[in-house]
Structure formats: structure tokens, C-alpha cells
Amino acid sequence: KNEVEQSPQNLTAQEGEFITINCSYSVGISALHWLQQHPGGGIVSLFMLSSGKKKHGRLIATINIQEKHSSLHITASHPRDSAVYICAVKGRGSNYQLIWGAGTKLIIKP
Amino acid sequence: DTGVSQDPRHKITKRGQNVTFRCDPISEHNRLYWYRQTLGQGPEFLTYFQNEAQLEKSRLLSDRFSAERPKGSFSTLEIQRTEQGDSAMYLCASSSMGPDEQFFGPGTRLTVL
């Protein structure tokens, strides 16, 4: 079993829909990252969380430390949101290494 | 633009040739990371610098790979005697000691023919 699990693996939705991507982890962490990668492109950091909730524009990220679970929500989704969304955690006691999820491929159809 | 930059963005080379990539981190960041990402996979950690010191190297980093960060600012990743299996996206990230949020560069896509 991977230490960081994402679901769903693939998600296709219509423009305007509310999107939720989930991340569960099995290790103790000091922080959790949500990142975005467009096809053939580099990685963009969206959020770094250690507790609670963060919001940036149409993106919302939440984390429940007790349940070892985080969600990334996209409101009013748009075709330009189509990308791979990756969850990565920094283990407690780790100086630097991130443990990566496999990513969720999101396609938003117009 | 004060983000992480990488050069070149794309590199096509023939098997057996040497290649070198450069990463310029965000200026105040003292931590620098190299990752490799193959198609459809998540990034794999290669190596990590704190200032000019290379503190960790993955077992993925064979003796054909070497990374440097001589002055604690930019870093280079060299691959000697390239093989087709080296074809991948090479990503660089940097972070500061405090928040330690990693910011990624656009990557260098290497194709070995």
C-alpha cells in the first residue's frame, strides 16, 4: 500500500462543476502539499497545509490531521483547470523529502 | 520574474553524449532539490542541497549523474554517457529553511535518441 493515496485517479467533468480530489496518507506528517502539473509542463505549488483550510481563488484545500486526509476542491471548474493534481506529504522528522501521490488527472469539458 | 528557472527547457541528445542542466533557485532559498519524472509517473527524488552542501543523494543517482551547487546559488546536474532510459523531465525545486514550501521550476525535458 502506498503511503500517499489519491482518488480518483482520473476525473472528467463538465465546465462549472464542483470538483473534489482526495488524498489519504498513512505516515505522520509535518505538511501536505497540493501541486498542479499541466501536460508536458512543470509543477506549480498550489497549497502547503499543516492544518485547517486554505483558499486561493476558486481553489480550496482542507486537511484533517486526525483522519490523515486532505481534499482539494475546485469551484466553478473551467477547461483551463484540466491538469494533473498531485498530493505530496513531508514526513514528520524529514528534513526535505516529499512522499508523492500518483496524481489525479482532471479533464474539464466545455 | 523571481521564480525558479531551468535551462534548457528541452534537450535532445544522442546516446553516449554528456548533458548538463542548470537550475537557478529563488534567490533567498537555501535549499535546492532535483527530481526526475518519467511519463505518467510522479516525480522521483534525485538529490538535495542545503546551501552548497549536497546532503542527500538517491540511489537513482548513478555514478553517471553528478550535481553541484558550488556557491550555494545555482545548481547544475550533469549526466554522462546518456542512455535512452535517462529520457525524462528533470525538475528543480527550491525552498527556504522556514516554511520549506518547495517551488518548482518549469523542468528540462531530456530526450535521448
Side-chain angles (χ1 to χ4, degrees):
Chain A
K1 190 177 189 295
N2 294 331
E3 292 171 304
V4 179
E5 298 266 358
Q6 285 187 238
S7 63
Q9 190 174 1
N10 294 282
L11 178 57
T12 300
Q14 290 297 129
E15 183 174 357
E17 286 189 37
F18 181 81
I19 303 299
T20 296
I21 299 170
N22 296 300
C23 176
S24 296
Y25 52 91
S26 56
V27 296
I29 69 168
S30 58
L32 181 145
H33 299 253
W34 281 103
L35 308 114
Q36 178 195 57
Q37 187 171 32
H38 282 99
I43 291 177
V44 174
S45 177
L46 299 175
F47 296 103
M48 186 176 75
L49 296 167
S50 55
S51 64
K53 176 180 175 179
K54 285 189 176 180
K55 184 177 189 291
H56 185 253
R58 295 181 294 107
L59 300 177
I60 303 166
T62 64
I63 188 168
N64 185 316
I65 297 294
Q66 287 74 30
E67 294 185 4
K68 294 187 175 178
H69 180 268
S70 175
S71 293
L72 176 69
H73 305 286
I74 305 174
T75 62
S77 59
H78 190 276
R80 65 174 175 265
D81 297 326
S82 299
V84 175
Y85 291 84
I86 308 171
C87 171
V89 302
K90 185 180 174 190
R92 197 178 301 133
S94 167
N95 284 330
Y96 51 89
Q97 283 228 36
L98 294 177
I99 306 169
W100 298 81
T104 294
K105 184 175 180 180
L106 174 65
I107 297 173
I108 303 296
K109 293 186 174 180
Chain B
D1 182 27
T2 58
V4 180
S5 61
Q6 291 186 245
D7 182 69
R9 296 290 305 276
H10 303 273
K11 178 70 177 178
I12 299 174
T13 191
K14 292 183 179 178
R15 190 176 53 184
Q17 298 293 306
N18 299 342
V19 294
T20 300
F21 310 141
R22 176 179 170 125
C23 170
D24 286 88
I26 293 171
S27 58
E28 60 268 26
H29 285 181
N30 60 347
R31 291 178 170 175
L32 187 146
Y33 315 78
W34 284 100
Y35 295 89
R36 180 174 69 186
Q37 186 179 27
T38 52
L39 202 60
Q41 303 295 317
E44 299 170 298
F45 170 79
L46 292 179
T47 191
Y48 157 68
F49 289 87
Q50 186 163 301
N51 300 312
E52 66 276 8
Q54 188 175 20
L55 297 187
E56 186 68 25
K57 288 171 59 174
S58 164
R59 285 170 293 175
L60 293 173
L61 216 64
S62 75
D63 56 4
R64 295 185 298 106
F65 288 71
S66 61
E68 294 183 343
R69 194 182 182 199
K71 297 180 182 177
S73 56
F74 73 92
S75 175
T76 58
L77 177 69
E78 181 183 15
I79 309 174
Q80 296 181 323
R81 305 181 303 280
T82 52
E83 302 172 356
Q84 287 185 323
D86 297 332
S87 295
M89 176 80 88
Y90 290 83
L91 296 163
C92 174
S94 70
S95 70
S96 59
M97 288 282 283
D100 203 23
E101 181 173 5
Q102 293 186 28
F103 292 86
F104 285 81
T108 294
R109 182 168 294 284
L110 172 67
T111 302
V112 181
L113 302 176

